[in-house]
Structure formats: structure tokens, C-alpha cells
Amino acid sequence: MPFIEADVTHLERAVELAWTARNRGDHPFGSLLVTPDGGILEAANTVVTGADPTGHAETNLVRLAGGVDREALTGSTLYTSTEPCAMCAGAIYWSGIGRVVFALSSEGLNAMVVEEEGIPPLRLPCREVFARGGRSIEVAGPFDMPSATEVHVGFWD
């Protein structure tokens, strides 16, 4: 699916949210949800500060979106600074969100992680997770944004 003009603005905001997370000591990921009526919900990663391994930006956003009408979620777009991991893709799928747009690919992120700590990530692109479900989710990404890479530079060293 191609990008639309508004995608760039929302992806830039997702990267700003990733910087917010990084600056407070969390992993540098941010996301936002734009509903069909123009409503916006925002979330950032809270894995460290929230002491919650599921506190990824996208899962935090899905929790915030829990009160949004199911039909509105189907028409909503989730923007995220980096491709959703397998856990987040599952949460997005179950939420009913209809479109995902991301900047940095999981492959691009993996190339910057020098050494992994703790449990290694599941290397499973979001499109593969979504393809296993019974409903379609429109995916656009990766989107070449230098700022989406810059937020990770030096963090994973």
C-alpha cells in the first residue's frame, strides 16, 4: 500500500514519541493512532520505566484504544516509528485496527543492535503475523526516514 501525504506527518510524530521514550530511559519507540474522525491517541515505550516487558509503544497504544468503537478502529491507522514486533502485531490484530504504517523496518533495527540482552527478539515481520489472521490489515512500510534511524543510533551499543 502506498503512503499518503498525512503519513509523513504522523510518522514524524511517532519518531518524536520515540525520542521522548529514549530521553526518559526507555527503549526508543513511539506510536500513535489516528481515528477516522481525526482523533489521535499517542503512546511511547515504557518497558524500563514501567518495569513491564509488554510495555512496547504499540501495545501501550492498543490498551489506550480499548475504549474506541470497533468500527472506528477498523478505519483507524496506527503509525509507529519502527515496524511492530510479533507481540505488538498480535495486539494490533486483536484490537481490530485496520491499517499500520511504519518507518524503520525490523531488519533495519536488527542491523543496529550490536548485542542483545535478555531474551532475543522474535524475528518475524508484522506482515507475516497479520497474514496468519482471518482479517486483512493494510500495511505500509518501511518508509525511509533518517530520523527513524537516528533515534536508535548509540542506544543499542
Side-chain angles (χ1 to χ4, degrees), residues 19 22 28 112-114 149-157:
W19 275 109
R22 180 178 176 160
M112 289 189 288
V113 177
V114 177
T149 300
E150 291 164 6
V151 72
H152 292 279
V153 173
F155 183 85
W156 304 101
D157 296 344

Side-chain angles (χ1 to χ4, degrees), residues 22-37:
R22 180 178 176 160
N23 290 337
R24 74 165 175 254
D26 283 301
H27 302 158
F29 301 98
S31 62
L32 59 132
L33 182 76
V34 179
T35 62
D37 65 0

Side-chain angles (χ1 to χ4, degrees), residues 74-153:
T74 301
S76 296
T77 299
L78 184 147
Y79 294 92
T80 189
S81 58
T82 306
E83 182 175 358
C85 72
M87 175 184 71
C88 293
I92 292 164
Y93 175 82
W94 289 112
S95 75
I97 292 168
R99 182 171 184 250
V100 174
V101 180
F102 64 90
L104 181 65
S105 70
S106 57
E107 288 179 357
L109 175 63
N110 292 337
M112 289 189 288
V113 177
V114 177
E115 184 176 322
E116 296 174 18
E117 295 179 11
I119 299 170
L122 292 169
R123 300 198 189 282
L124 186 61
C126 70
R127 283 180 173 90
E128 288 186 37
V129 175
F130 297 148
R132 302 296 180 153
R135 69 177 187 89
S136 63
I137 297 174
E138 191 178 306
V139 179
F143 184 76
D144 186 22
M145 288 180 65
S147 60
T149 300
E150 291 164 6
V151 72
H152 292 279
V153 173

